[in-house]
Amino acid sequence: MECPTCGEYGDLILAKVRRTGQEVVVCTECDNLWAEPGSAPDIDASEGVAEFLAAAGLADDWKELELLAKLPAG
């Protein structure tokens, strides 16, 4: 699936926040995150990985995420 922010440059990955178990979608290129993986990624509904993790009281580090699977194209 193509990132609405950076296009074809980044992969959208389904990930899980290790400490909370929440599933999210992240872009490996622009570091945007979508907190609702069941809906199509929309640029207006995104936030930065670091900001999302900091707001949850976690370190703003990708190590807080467990990368699960690349979202299929289309």
Side-chain angles (χ1 to χ4, degrees):
M1 182 174 287
E2 193 170 284
C3 176
T5 303
C6 64
E8 63 189 50
Y9 299 106
D11 292 326
L12 290 182
I13 306 288
L14 179 64
K16 182 169 52 173
V17 181
R18 294 183 190 274
R19 293 193 198 174
T20 66
Q22 179 181 359
E23 288 189 346
V24 296
V25 172
V26 294
C27 177
T28 58
E29 178 67 24
C30 66
D31 289 349
N32 271 346
L33 176 146
W34 291 266
E36 296 186 27
S39 58
D42 177 353
I43 194 167
D44 294 329
S46 70
E47 60 186 301
V49 169
E51 291 82 10
F52 175 83
L53 293 171
L58 303 171
D60 60 352
D61 189 327
W62 276 72
K63 292 178 185 176
E64 295 286 352
L65 301 175
E66 176 184 351
L67 304 181
L68 301 174
K70 181 178 174 181
L71 295 182

